Structures are given as C-alpha cells and as structure tokens.
Amino acid sequence: MEQLVDSHARVIDYLRLSVTDRCNLRCVYCMPPEGTIPLLHNDILTYEEMVRFAACACAAGISKIRLTGGEPLVRKDVEVLIRRLALLSPELDLSLTTNGVLLSEYADILRQCGLKRVNVSLDSLDPRTYAQITRGGELSRVIAGIESALRAGLEPVKLNVVAMRGVNDDLEPFVRFMHEHPVDVRFIEFMETKTNVARGIRYFIPVEEVERRLAAFGVLEQTNAPVGAGPARYKSLQGALGKVGFISPVSSHFCPTCNRLRLTADGKLRACLFSNHETDIRSLLRSGASEEAVIEAIREVLQAKPKDHGLTIGGLNRTMSQIGG
Ligand code: SAM
Ligand code: SF4
C-alpha cells in the first residue's frame, strides 16, 4: 500500500472533501448572518471530478474520506457521489459531517450507497438556543436525523458540540441525551475566525474545563477511541451509552499527529486548515491531467504542509463553511 508522508514525517491518510460551500443554516461561529457569496456553478467541482481526484488520492495512500461542506446534504444527488466513492474500495472509511437537518430523509439511502458513518453537529438540546446558534435551525429535525442514522446503522454516530461559554455550557442536557442515545458526544473548542471575531462572538471555553465540569455527572474514565477517532481524546462517562470526546485545536495543538488534507468545493487543495496556501486542483483535473500528475501535485502540497498552525486564525481567507471545517 502506497503512503503519503509530509516533510515532517507525518503519514497523511485522511481527506476532507467539501461537496458544496452552501448551507441551510448560518451558525454564529461559522458564517455571517447574510451567508457568503456562493460559488458559481461552473467553479464547483463536478461529482466526476471529485471522484477522479479521490481515486488518485486513494491510489497515493488516502484511506479515509469525509464529505463536508457547507452542508453536504444540500447538494443535489449527493448519494450519487457517495455511491461512486464507495466503489473506489470496500476498505475506504467513507464518512460525512452534517448539521443533521436533512438527515432523516437521507440516512437509509446514504447507508445503501456505501456511507459508513456520520458526525452530526449539534450545539444545543434546547430548541430556542439551537435556533439562536444556527440562526433559525429546528432542533426536532436534527434529533429525528440522529435517530434515523442510528436506525440505518451509520455507526458510530458522533455528535460535534462546539462548546460556547454562556451559550451551551449547561452540560446536563447532553449527559441526559447520552443516557438515552448510543452516540459519542465530542466537545470541540470554539475557534475564533475573522467572521465571528468581527461580530464580537467570543465564546471560547477550554475543553479541559468541560471535562472537569462533566465529572460532576458521573465517573469519567480513560477509554479506547471509537472508529475514526481523529484528534479527539475519549473518556467513558458513567451511565452514558456512548463515549465523550474532547477536541482541543486551540488549547493544545494536535498538529504533531495531523493526518489531513482538504479539498474545497472549488477544487483547491489545502494542506492545513489555518494556512491560506492553496493549490488549484480544478485546473489540473480540467486540463485532463494523468493520475500520476495529480498524485505529484498532492505530494508537492504535502511537502509544504506546515509543521503547526500557530493559530493565526483571524487571517483565514475563507469561512469555515467554505473550507469544510
Ligand atoms: N455543515 C456541516 C456541519 O455543520 O456539520 C459540515 C461543515 S461544518 C463547517 C464542519 C464542522 O466545523 C462542524 O462540526 C462545525 O461545528 C465546525 N466549525 C465551524 N466553525 C467552527 C468554529 N469557529 N469553531 C469550532 N468549530 C467550528
Ligand atoms: Fe452550515 Fe455547518 Fe457552518 Fe453551521 S457549521 S453554518 S451547518 S457549514
């Protein structure tokens, strides 16, 4: 099996593929209220182009692909993309990150098309707070989506919760939810971006604090990570049906073990979430480049993958929804 190794000896085996820059929500930490200027139809990679790129990436050593966005489920016929990606290899760990709003309609078909599992972003279990964070989202639809994903066997289902001080840091509802649903809940540190800082949205809580506060609800113990654990640390929580994860991009860099590459919906390859350096893969694909040429471009991008990000986040040239988080 081929391997992709960057210039800091990290093995890169994980591709985040952004399917679209569009979204049906406007989360306060991710997008401005008016949204972003959508990419032109012609600028977005076609499914054929995404699959061609993914095939090259897999031939070079990528073994995990996560579809993201924007909201991946708002792109028409996304199941067609999933079916084609799943056909690349039965071993491919194919997953999707979604806000869950459309998940109840899609869960069965996604599973049938070869999707293995889903992460659902859900920052509050209170309908009003959820609507405020997402600027209009309906909590009941997301809960229905999570339950459909569990029934469809898209497991492990992981919930991503961006921890926000004074907004969603009452942890009791999440604990109750974990007693009732077999889901892993991962608390992620709020990352400041140009978009949220400009609006004075500064809610950061270190996940260590979330962990200390969770301990009031039951014994937390070291545990094995579930499938596709990524940069999260996991603990078991007494009485919970799933595990609790902690992701700390801000307070403790996970750069030394970073295994990721990102392709934006308009075909720009990024070696680091927080580096604005991008390589234009779309032009390469549209020029009819061979598999070898595409793999060579991936290797070049990896040679320039920074050792760490230094979190100069305020300087990001795109919103999280345009990069894929
Ligand atoms: N729309 C999908 C969703 O919300 O799951 C996929 C795209 S979203 C950009 C991917 C992830 O990025 C989500 O889990 C979201 O919570 C996270 N994210 C976006 N902006 C963030 C920020 N400023 N700080 C921390 N996480 C953020
Ligand atoms: Fe949309 Fe996901 Fe960003 Fe929320 S976090 S605005 S759901 S892309």
Side-chain angles (χ1 to χ4, degrees), residues 16 22-25 27 29-31 67-72 97-100 119-123 160-162 188-193 196 249 320-325:
R16 290 180 71 95
R22 296 177 192 220
C23 188
N24 46 0
L25 297 179
C27 301
Y29 47 74
C30 178
M31 272 212 200
L67 302 183
T68 176
E71 172 49 40
T97 295
T98 171
N99 60 31
N119 288 6
V120 182
S121 299
L122 176 56
D123 300 320
N160 289 343
V161 180
V162 178
I188 304 174
E189 282 175 346
F190 176 94
M191 292 182 267
E192 291 188 351
T193 66
N196 54 40
M320 287 285 181
S321 61
Q322 291 166 325
I323 303 173

Side-chain angles (χ1 to χ4, degrees), residues 165 169 171 204-214:
R165 191 176 300 285
D169 54 349
L171 302 176
F204 176 74
I205 317 179
V207 284
E208 273 71 21
E209 182 180 329
V210 175
E211 186 173 345
R212 274 198 307 279
R213 287 166 54 183
L214 267 178

